[in-house]
Each structure stands twice: as C-alpha cells, then as structure tokens.
C-alpha cells in the first residue's frame, strides 16, 4: 500500500478542519496515511483517530517556525518514502511548502480543489487567475506534494487506533526571530480557512459599519471579508480583502453585503458553495452568482438579520 | 544596499480568461506587472532612496516581459535582467525560482523582494524556493518593512493575526497590496527607461527547462452556477425570516 503524509495544522491546540479533510482524501484514495503535527495538543490523537490515520508523528514545540518545520517535514518525507503529501492551503502552507519544494528539489502544486487518480496519475485541479479558470495538472516528481484549499474535501468518519511517535524540533538554526503581536487577533477566524464569510463592500458607506458586520460574523462563527472598494477607501485593513488582489476563498457560505460584484471579486469568491447577496441595486452582477438574493437597502436588512440570528442562536 | 525585485508579467485584473483548445488564449490580454510585485518594487525603490544602493529587477518569460522591465526602470529601478523563456509556463514555480537562483548566483543582494503571489498562478512558491536555494531568511506577507544597516524588521500578516519577524541580511521578503501605494512612472522616467539596457539571459543556457516537475493536462472555465432565487417577501422581517429558514433548515449551513 502506498504511503501518504498529511501535514496537520493546529489552531488553539486542535487540528483545523482542513487537516481532517485532507486525511480523509488521502485515505479515500487508498493510501496508508500518516499525520505529522507540530505543537502541543491533548486532543490531537483523539481528533485524528476519527478520520482513519494509521500513524501520528508529533513534533513537540511551543514556537512556530516555518523554516525548521519545513526541514523536519522534508526529512520525514525522505526517510519514510511518502508518495503523496497533502497540507491545507493556509498561511502556514504558504510559509513552508515552497521551502519543502526546494529542499526535496521537486514541484509543489498549490491551492488544489480536486484530486483524483486517473490513468495511474494523481491529477489535481487548481484555480488560476483567482478562479477565472482552472488548470488540471499532475506531478512528475517522486514525491507528489499538494496544498489543498480548505472546504474542498468531505471529512469521512473512520475510527482508527493510530500509533504515535514523537520527534524533536530544532529551532536553534533559525534565520528569523518571530514575535507575536499583542494586538494580534489570532483567535479570530482567518479568511482562507473560514466556513462562513461575511463581506462588506462600497454599499456599507463607511468604516463604522464593519464592526456591525463583525458582530454578525461572531454570531455565525464567520470571518469578516471586504471588497476592494471598501479596502481602497480605507474603511478596513487589506488583510480582509477578498478577490484577485486579496484572498481567494471557497467557504460553504459567503454573504456579500453591499457588494456589486466586480470581476476581480467574483473570481475570488465565485467557487463558494452557497452565496447570499444583499444589495439595493437589482442589476448588481453579484446577483448572477447568488444562491439567495435580497434586493433591498442593507441598512434595513442587516439589523433584522442580526435580531433573528440572535434568536436562532439563543 | 543592493536590492533584487522579482516581477512577473500577468494578465490585467480586468481581463476575462478564455480557453482555446488546451491553452489559455492570450491574444487579447493586456499585460501588467502583478500587483503584489509592483508593491514589492515600490518598497525596494523606497528603501534604496532612503539607504542608497541599487534596485535590480528580474523577470522570467517570453519577449513581452521586457515591457514590464521597462516600466520598472521608469519607476526607478537601476538594472534589469530578462530570463528569456519562449516555452514559458507560468505555473512552474520550481523552474522559475531555479532560473532566478542560477541567473543571480554570483550577485550579492541584501534584500530580495517579490509579491506574495502572482495573480495568474496564485502559487506563492517562488520566493520560498529561492530563499532555500540561496540559503537566506524568508519572510512572507509583509505589512510594514523597516530596514536598517544591519537588519530588517517586518510586520507580517499571519493567519487571522499579525506577527513581527526580525532577520539579518540577506533576506527575502514578500509584499502584498496595501503595504504601500506604488508610484506612477514620471515622464522623465519613461523617457530614460527607453535607453537603459536590459541584460538578457537565455533560460536554456542556465540549464533550466519548464514542465520537468509538473505536467499540465489542460485548462477549463469554472462551471456555471445554478440560477439563484431572489427573496421577494412583503416585509423586511419576512425576507430575513425566509433567508434564515433556507440557510438553517434547507442548506443546513448556519
């Protein structure tokens, strides 16, 4: 049985959902699957044993370091001859996958949304031009490494009793020093991993309305997004921008508030599973991609939405 | 301080993408410098203007990328290297990074800037591959860069938050839109850019080939989304009620 390695990412000491998604994918493709995870978490084994991995390698460390993670993971891949390597396409994958590519002298195929075996090849599909088109491609390397966009694959429950072993993480040779910022909102949901995103656009008319949308986002456990128009106007930080020059996202639910739907924005969120659009202009292009649309002033809809959601969530 | 900036030429963000046979149809595309790379170039020029030194730009691609290198000259770059590749594949980050490493192996740079990711391939692999190949520090997603004589301090966006990275030179930093507002080239700059020499290196002479690590099977356009529903109940309250019911009971997403 060919072997796969999934690089499991933690948030608040728990595996992120996307880690379980890729484990399920590797297993459903018929691979004997090992998970490697860096950090400290009591629930790691418990959570990963729900999706059928046969082995867990834990690198005990307190500090995140893309550089040392990449070297360690590369060594593990080499030593164990993993054929397929998957990791969630999050910030961390962006920080380590390129390094692994160089260390193992092989290509990494990034931000894939589909993976299948066809004519004995692992064929992946990935959005290009922020989602205006897709490329289908395969890896010719000995190690086939892919980063996978969160929410692309289903989690398939399958209980297992994985063996666990620990390895040490050496961060002493790091070429950078990292300090976390006190003001960091690391507890907040990041856009690329979010299951639900609420985004505001030009229609929200000013910076003061984003805290209102943030409250709505908190109610739903959602991440806060924005259109380029809102970011360019200085109403909200660029890290929230969805679209071709911001983040490309595929949440289960995308709620566009006061966003008309410029081509760059539609590219960046058009692969969301369901889209809700709230805009008073019925000609707005966003309605062409919306699952549900409400043509009305957002300043009337949003307060009502908040009231009813509060009632629903108790 | 010597600065290298990697720029990639990409289709304009307004461009609609068409597929012709098994290729992306490039016939009516307007080409620009990838927005994140443009921000990286601006940051490099600002650091040069403050600390002295030179800015060299480098780009991999067919003949057309020379236009982008000239735009970089007009903005304030001092030198330009074109890695000429007629059989260019924008998705092959490993080949692109390897060719840049090879073409600059005898040059000393303190800072290498490039964009967080190019808006064509959306890979974001090149800077980190290059960082490992050149054995230097790599810092991604800069929001603020402070460069002193001996080290650099970078505020970075990380997943859902922010962190500060410190490193000594040489260092690779990826920039993203929002870090600065790139300047428009001046008329004087545009005139002068026409006369500046672009150094050309042929990718084959560097020993690099495209598509050795990846195989492109084809391209397709996104599937059409199913037709949606406009909620047209009588009152605001009823509209919202119907929306929540659909999301909660039918789609089960909230």
């Amino acid at each position: 049985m060919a072997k796969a390695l999934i690089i499991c990412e933690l948030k608040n000491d728990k595996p992120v959902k996307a880690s379980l998604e890729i484990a399920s994918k590797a297993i459903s493709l018929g691979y004997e699957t090992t998970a490697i995870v860096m950090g400290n978490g009591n629930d790691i084994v418990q959570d990963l044993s729900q999706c059928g991995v046969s082995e867990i390698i834990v690198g005990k460390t307190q500090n995140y370091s893309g550089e040392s993670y990449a070297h360690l993971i590369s060594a593990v891949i080499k030593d164990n001859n993993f054929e397929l390597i998957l990791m969630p396409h999050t910030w961390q994958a962006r920080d380590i996958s390129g390094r692994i590519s160089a260390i193992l002298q092989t290509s990494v195929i990034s931000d894939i949304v589909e993976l299948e075996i066809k004519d004995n090849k692992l064929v992946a599909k990935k959005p290009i031009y922020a989602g205006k088109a897709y490329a289908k491609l395969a890896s010719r390397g000995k190690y086939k490494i892919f980063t996978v966009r969160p929410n692309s694959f289903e989690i398939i429950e399958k209980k297992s009793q994985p063996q666990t072993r620990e390895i040490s993480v050496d961060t002493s040779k790091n070429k950078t020093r990292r300090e976390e910022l006190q003001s960091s909102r690391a507890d907040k949901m990041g856009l690329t991993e979010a299951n639900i995103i609420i985004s505001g656009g030009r229609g929200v008319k000013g910076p003061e309305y984003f805290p209102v949308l943030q409250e709505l986002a908190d109610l739903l456990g959602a991440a806060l997004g924005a259109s380029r128009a809102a970011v360019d106007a200085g109403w909200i930080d660029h890290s929230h921008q969805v679209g071709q020059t911001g983040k490309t996202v595929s949440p289960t639910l995308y709620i566009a508030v006061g966003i008309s739907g410029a081509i760059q924005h539609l590219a960046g969120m058009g692969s969301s599973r369901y889209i809700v659009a709230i805009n008073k202009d019925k000609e707005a292009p966003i309605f062409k991609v919306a699952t549900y649309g409400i043509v009305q002033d957002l300043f009337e809809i949003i307060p009502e939405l908040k009231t009813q959601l509060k009632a629903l969530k108790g | 301080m010597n600065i290298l900036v990697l720029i990639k030429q990409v289709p304009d963000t307004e461009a609609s993408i068409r597929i012709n046979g098994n290729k992306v149809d490039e016939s009516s595309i307007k080409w620009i410098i990838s927005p994140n790379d443009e921000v990286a170039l601006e940051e490099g020029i600002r650091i040069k203007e403050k600390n002295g030194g030179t800015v060299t730009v480098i780009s991999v691609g067919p003949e057309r990328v020379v236009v982008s290198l000239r735009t970089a000259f007009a903005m304030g770059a001092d030198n330009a290297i074109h890695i000429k590749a007629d059989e260019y594949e924008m998705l092959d980050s490993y080949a692109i990074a390897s060719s840049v490493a090879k073409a600059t192996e005898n040059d000393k740079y303190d800072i290498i800037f490039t964009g967080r990711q190019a808006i064509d391939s959306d890979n974001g692999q090149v800077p980190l591959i290059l960082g490992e190949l050149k054995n230097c520090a790599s810092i991604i997603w800069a929001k603020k860069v402070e460069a002193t004589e001996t080290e650099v301090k970078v505020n970075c966006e990380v997943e859902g938050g922010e962190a500060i990275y410190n490193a000594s030179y040489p260092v690779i930093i990826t920039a993203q839109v929002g870090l600065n507002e790139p300047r428009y080239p001046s008329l004087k700059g545009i005139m002068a850019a026409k006369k500046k020499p672009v150094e050309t290196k042929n990718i084959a002479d560097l020993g690099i080939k495209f598509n050795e690590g990846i195989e492109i099977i084809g391209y397709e356009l996104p599937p059409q989304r199913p037709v949606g529903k406009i909620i047209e109940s009588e009152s605001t309250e009823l509209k919202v009620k119907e929306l929540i019911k659909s999301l909660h009971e039918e789609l089960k997403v909230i």
Side-chain angles (χ1 to χ4, degrees), chain A residues 222-238:
Chain A
L224 183 63
S227 73
R228 181 174 166 179
V231 172
D232 282 355
W235 299 344
I236 185 163
D237 187 76
H238 176 264

Side-chain angles (χ1 to χ4, degrees), chain A residues 8-308:
Chain A
C8 170
E9 190 172 330
L10 301 179
K11 190 178 180 87
N12 300 328
D13 294 339
K14 289 203 47 102
V16 299
K17 187 171 149 263
S19 301
L20 308 181
E21 293 166 5
I22 56 173
S24 291
K25 187 70 195 181
I27 291 160
S28 72
L29 289 171
Y31 285 86
E32 183 187 335
T33 302
T34 297
I36 185 164
V37 53
M38 306 291 181
N40 285 297
N42 298 326
D43 302 331
I44 298 174
V45 176
Q46 166 75 20
D47 288 356
L48 286 172
S49 65
Q50 303 298 311
C51 59
V53 302
S54 36
E55 185 192 26
I56 302 173
I57 303 172
V58 183
K60 287 269 182 197
T61 175
Q62 302 288 345
N63 303 315
Y64 171 76
S65 159
E67 196 181 337
S68 32
Y69 284 21
H71 280 272
L72 187 64
I73 292 167
S74 300
V76 166
I77 294 170
K78 261 188 174 166
D79 292 347
N80 297 275
N81 263 316
F82 289 109
E83 179 184 77
L84 170 67
I85 297 98
L86 298 177
M87 65 186 101
H89 189 67
T90 54
W91 185 88
Q92 188 175 309
R94 285 154 163 107
D95 195 33
I96 67 173
S97 60
R99 302 177 203 260
I100 293 174
S101 171
I103 298 165
L104 296 178
Q105 299 179 309
T106 192
S107 291
V108 168
I109 297 176
S110 62
D111 198 17
I112 68 163
V113 295
E114 280 178 22
L115 184 64
E116 57 179 1
I117 297 174
K118 214 173 174 184
D119 305 329
N120 269 324
K121 280 182 209 164
L122 277 163
V123 177
K125 186 166 143 181
K126 86 173 234 90
I128 50 175
Y129 310 106
K132 290 176 184 172
Y134 287 86
K136 278 199 161 174
L137 62 175
S139 165
R140 297 185 201 268
K142 178 180 171 198
Y143 309 113
K144 299 172 194 317
I145 312 177
F146 303 91
T147 74
V148 180
R149 184 178 288 200
N151 300 321
S152 297
F153 302 136
E154 298 287 330
I155 297 174
I156 303 163
E157 220 172 280
K158 189 181 172 201
K159 288 218 170 20
S160 63
Q161 283 170 326
Q163 295 189 327
T164 304
R165 63 184 164 106
E166 279 185 24
I167 52 174
S168 59
V169 185
D170 178 13
T171 54
S172 63
K173 294 194 194 83
N174 277 352
K175 291 189 272 294
T176 57
R177 255 179 314 116
R178 172 172 159 145
E179 305 159 34
E180 305 303 323
L181 272 188
Q182 283 300 318
S183 61
S184 165
R185 288 155 54 92
D187 55 322
K188 293 278 179 197
M189 187 63 88
L191 271 180
T192 48
E193 58 176 328
N195 216 9
I196 304 178
I197 294 172
I198 298 177
S199 282
R202 198 192 301 274
V204 309
K205 291 188 175 152
E208 55 284 348
Y209 209 68
F210 277 96
V212 180
L213 295 181
Q214 179 70 61
E215 286 170 40
L216 200 59
D218 291 342
L219 267 176
L220 290 167
L224 183 63
S227 73
R228 181 174 166 179
V231 172
D232 282 355
W235 299 344
I236 185 163
D237 187 76
H238 176 264
S239 58
H240 293 274
Q241 186 177 321
V242 172
Q244 202 169 6
T245 52
K247 309 246 165 36
T248 48
V249 295
S250 303
T252 308
L253 176 62
Y254 188 92
I255 305 177
V257 181
I259 289 176
S260 63
I263 182 169
Q264 303 93 328
H265 192 81
L266 295 183
M269 47 63 82
S271 61
S272 305
R273 188 129 155 231
Y274 305 112
I275 296 169
V276 170
I278 301 166
N279 199 306
K280 64 180 173 187
D281 173 14
K282 69 174 192 317
E283 304 297 335
I286 190 81
F287 287 118
K288 292 204 178 78
V289 299
T291 321
Y292 292 105
I294 298 182
V295 183
Q296 196 177 326
D297 191 342
L298 70 96
F299 297 105
E300 294 166 13
I301 297 293
I302 295 298
E304 181 61 30
L305 187 57
K306 204 191 272 172
T307 308
Q308 292 194 29

Side-chain angles (χ1 to χ4, degrees), chain B residues 53-117:
Chain B
T54 60
V55 170
T56 302
V57 284
I58 188 163
S59 191
V60 185
E63 195 57 36
R64 61 173 158 78
V65 308
V66 172
V67 177
S68 292
L69 291 170
R70 297 232 172 261
T71 306
F73 271 146
M75 282 174 71
D78 304 283
N79 312 302
I81 304 168
H82 174 206
I83 300 179
K84 195 163 177 290
D86 296 327
E87 303 295 314
Y88 172 70
E89 171 49 62
M90 64 93 175
L91 279 167
D92 195 344
S93 301
Y94 192 75
I96 294 171
S98 304
S99 67
V100 171
K102 191 77 186 154
T104 60
E105 66 183 348
N106 298 318
D107 308 334
K108 285 255 180 301
Y109 296 104
D110 302 294
I111 306 181
I112 301 176
F113 275 115
T114 191
R116 181 185 86 188
Q117 67 197 61

Side-chain angles (χ1 to χ4, degrees), chain B residues 1 3 43-55 76-78:
Chain B
M1 189 165 277
I3 297 166
E43 200 65 19
I45 294 169
R46 285 185 192 187
I47 290 172
K48 176 195 84 168
E49 286 170 347
K50 198 165 153 242
N51 300 11
T54 60
V55 170
D78 304 283

